[in-house]
Amino acid sequence: MTDVTVVGGGMAGSEAAWQLAEAGFQVSLVEMKPVAMSPAHQSPLLGELVCSNSLRSDDAIAPAGLLKQELRRCGSLVIACADQHRVPAGQALAVERFGFARAITRRLALHPRIRIERRRLDELPDHPVIVATGPLTEGELGQVIMRELGGDRMYFYDAIAPIVAAESIDWDRAFRQSRWDRDADSPGRKSQQQQDELEAERAAGGDSGVGDYVNCPLDKLQYEAFVEAVNAGRKILPHDFEEPRYFESCMPIEVMADRGPQTLRFGPMRPIGLRDPRTGHRPWAVVQLRPENRYRTAYNLVGFQTRLAYPDQQRIFQMVPGLERAEFLRFGSIHRNTYIDAPSRLGPHFELRTRPNVRFAGLLTGVEGYIESCAMGLVAAWLLAGELAGRNGSAPPPTTMLGALYLHITGARDPGYKYGPTNVNYGLLPPLPGARKDNRKPRMAERAHADLEVWLAARGAVRPAQQGREAHLSS
């Protein structure tokens, strides 16, 4: 008898299946490979890495490193296999792809409570199911999910803008101001043209409200040098299976720059409605930054989705006044991606509100990256295991990286908030009052460790991290 079906054998699905089986449940892990292969996959192995072989930094204070520490503490299969098959990569946790995927496949195949089914799944079962099919979900299953979501909440995500840490912005050069420095909800104080432009700005996800935005002004020479650098920067070409078609409202900046030297100035870098308080004049161009979270500890570069290579992004974007020392929490990208508008469609246990026996995990829920996907597979499995065992398990504390990602998916949003995928970063964590800038991250990491231990103790799931790794490696 199957207690739970897990669909998809990537990072999230593999982790979810393992955690449920370890909790004592019979699991059917349905993986379409090798019956059907997506354009991104090359082998029938579970846990296959389709892009980089790096799981990013393993430094204890780095966001990805802190998340991996939490996953080790929770007994993650994926991280245990990664540790076993790591290759030299400085402070990063990089793995030998084949050995890593083979280890995950072997341990799942040998688990007495996991049955691997190699087939396509075109209908969702009536018993509890976790769907972790990733951003390339398509075919009959994709259509089924779209119907369950009403047809308008599962769509291609085509743009990711860079995010910078607020504390790394040069506030002597940047200034807070919304267009015309007027309240967007007071139309009587604006001309009709200003009202129309504000409405267009809102529709494009742009400026609204007094002081909501940070502005980095450029003069004519700075703007021209910036455009020249964008045109000369190295671009990452799309995969063979990605069609380079873009929405006009989400055009990569390098595509806009290629259309003409003034295109960016009349696009995402338009200075209309802004005045630099230091000069009293409108800048020649401006880069606007929008708060990425409610704590205002991170800001995204509005309209700066790009295929520029990461080193070129850092070099070119640091040419912008105010961003010379910017710390990038996430770089921009353009790619084919399918994800759910999770805050509006999923409940607190990642369940579909209209069909609670269906859960989602991994990239489909709106996280980016291997370890983020693995983390949400683990959390989804633990929450479901608690329900099946008759316990109302609590979510990870919001002060942990696990809890921060959980809140990113399930947390309440302000009206008009545009949900989108994210990597783990310190901007997702609540601020730590009284912490100095030079020791803020270490103290936040200490808080995360302490709060995770309390949570694990309340769950009755405390065990030394080393024992957890050894138990997994011997399974």
Side-chain angles (χ1 to χ4, degrees), residues 348-349 382-387 390-396 406 455 459:
H349 290 182
W382 280 27
L383 292 172
L384 177 54
E387 285 187 34
R391 302 189 306 269
N392 187 17
S394 62
Y406 168 83
W455 179 63
R459 291 179 48 89

Side-chain angles (χ1 to χ4, degrees), residues 231-250:
N231 286 328
R234 185 171 68 90
K235 285 79 174 178
I236 303 299
L237 297 177
H239 296 291
D240 292 340
F241 58 87
E242 291 182 312
E243 297 182 29
R245 297 187 300 174
Y246 311 110
F247 293 114
E248 282 294 322
S249 61
C250 295

Side-chain angles (χ1 to χ4, degrees), residues 163 292 330 366-369 372 405 408 420-425 428:
I163 296 175
E292 181 64 22
R330 181 184 75 186
V367 294
E368 284 286 313
E372 289 86 348
L405 285 173
H408 165 72
T422 188
N423 292 113
V424 67
N425 63 78
L428 297 174

Side-chain angles (χ1 to χ4, degrees), residues 18-34:
W18 178 266
Q19 296 297 331
L20 285 163
E22 288 287 274
F25 298 99
Q26 298 293 329
V27 180
S28 292
L29 176 57
V30 180
E31 167 58 53
M32 69 176 187
K33 299 187 302 179

Side-chain angles (χ1 to χ4, degrees), residues 394-404 407 429 448 451-456:
S394 62
T399 51
T400 65
M401 287 299 181
L402 283 169
L407 278 183
L429 298 179
D451 291 353
L452 182 70
E453 291 303 316
V454 173
W455 179 63
L456 290 174

